[in-house]
Amino acid sequence: MPSLNKTREEFYMEKAVVVFSGGQDSTTCLLWALERFDNVETVTFLYGQRNRSELDSAKKITEDLGVKHTVLDMNLLNQLTDNAMTRKDMEIDESGEVPNTFVPGRNHIFLSFAAIFAKGIGARHIITGVSETDFSGYLDCRNNFIKSLNLTLNLAMDHPFEIHTPLMWKNKSQTWEMADEMGKLEYIRKHTTTCYNGIIGDGCGECPSCKLRKQGLDAYLAGGRAHV
């Protein structure tokens, strides 16, 4: 267990694991982690997701940034739940209280396996891009869930995990601002995959994910950029 008397500089010399999809949010979090931790690795989960281009983005981005990238097969999740993220023939519908793109238990499972992975490589910091501000009704993006799971993981493995959520209280405009402050807005815009239809970059422009991303970018650009 790390000493409670560590300085902030010593604290950030520790190893961290980023739950990484190759999308806007997780890439912003990866860049955030690289500014703060001396040793950063990423873990990506295959769960029968609607498209595989996000895996292509994850591979390219980690290669560009020189970050170790591990891909874990979680296709069992695909067998347990029917939703628009794992069924290409299901039309996306976000009209309900919880959209049908919500994958029950996904973040719970991913963070639990990320913690097992982290402990195995001697890391205690786990970074994820969940946000309660623009969470689209996804139940496992809420702050109270993350705090609860953090405690559970610590008890389950007797390890001082700390789950970091840099975007928890940021909307999409503020997430773009954060990327711009790190000098990576254009990189994220070009190389990440957020689109439900798997189109890299600005995406299809029609799916709910693309619309949310574009609305945030337009709002940020309209307010003036940090870097021009």
Side-chain angles (χ1 to χ4, degrees):
M1 179 178 294
S3 169
L4 296 178
N5 296 319
K6 281 190 174 185
T7 65
R8 183 177 179 85
E9 289 73 20
E10 290 172 326
F11 173 81
Y12 281 125
M13 289 295 285
E14 296 179 9
K15 187 178 290 188
V17 172
V18 178
V19 178
F20 191 60
S21 70
Q24 175 192 358
D25 293 345
S26 66
T27 302
T28 303
C29 287
L30 173 56
L31 293 164
W32 178 91
L34 287 169
E35 287 191 346
R36 288 163 173 79
F37 296 95
D38 184 59
N39 192 324
V40 177
E41 294 193 22
T42 59
V43 60
T44 296
F45 298 98
L46 293 181
Y47 61 99
Q49 51 262 63
R50 193 179 183 95
N51 65 78
R52 293 290 294 264
S53 58
E54 61 182 32
L55 180 62
D56 295 334
S57 288
K59 184 175 184 296
K60 173 177 174 46
I61 292 165
T62 51
E63 288 176 350
D64 285 350
L65 299 178
V67 177
K68 186 174 180 180
H69 181 216
T70 299
V71 180
L72 298 181
D73 186 353
M74 300 293 296
N75 273 296
L76 175 63
L77 187 58
N78 181 280
Q79 301 174 34
L80 299 176
T81 176
D82 289 330
N83 56 79
M85 287 301 289
T86 60
R87 300 290 184 269
K88 290 184 178 180
D89 59 347
M90 185 179 293
E91 186 176 349
I92 294 172
D93 181 7
E94 297 207 335
S95 62
E97 183 176 346
V98 178
N100 71 352
T101 50
F102 173 64
V103 183
R106 179 174 59 175
N107 285 337
H108 187 178
I109 297 295
F110 287 1
L111 287 167
S112 295
F113 274 81
I116 297 170
F117 176 83
K119 187 174 182 183
I121 64 170
R124 74 180 192 91
H125 298 282
I126 302 168
I127 297 92
T128 179
V130 298
S131 168
E132 189 165 319
T133 305
D134 275 339
F135 77 140
S136 301
Y138 289 11
L139 305 174
D140 55 3
C141 288
R142 296 175 296 181
N143 189 57
N144 58 0
F145 162 71
I146 297 296
K147 298 300 184 187
S148 173
L149 182 61
N150 199 154
L151 175 60
T152 297
L153 292 173
N154 292 356
L155 293 172
M157 287 181 265
D158 192 25
H159 194 69
F161 294 113
E162 183 168 354
I163 301 177
H164 300 266
T165 55
L167 309 183
M168 180 58 73
W169 307 115
K170 294 183 182 295
N171 59 32
K172 275 291 182 285
S173 176
Q174 293 167 326
T175 300
W176 283 114
E177 179 180 19
M178 182 176 170
D180 202 15
E181 288 172 347
M182 294 185 290
K184 293 293 186 178
L185 186 149
E186 295 301 334
Y187 181 87
I188 289 175
R189 183 175 182 180
K190 180 178 179 180
H191 296 294
T192 60
T193 301
T194 303
C195 177
Y196 287 153
N197 293 312
I199 301 174
I200 297 175
D202 288 336
C204 69
E206 297 298 327
C207 73
S209 184
C210 283
K211 289 179 179 178
L212 182 63
R213 171 173 164 143
K214 185 177 187 302
Q215 288 168 2
L217 180 60
D218 288 347
Y220 173 58
L221 295 178
R225 295 185 57 181
H227 293 78
V228 294

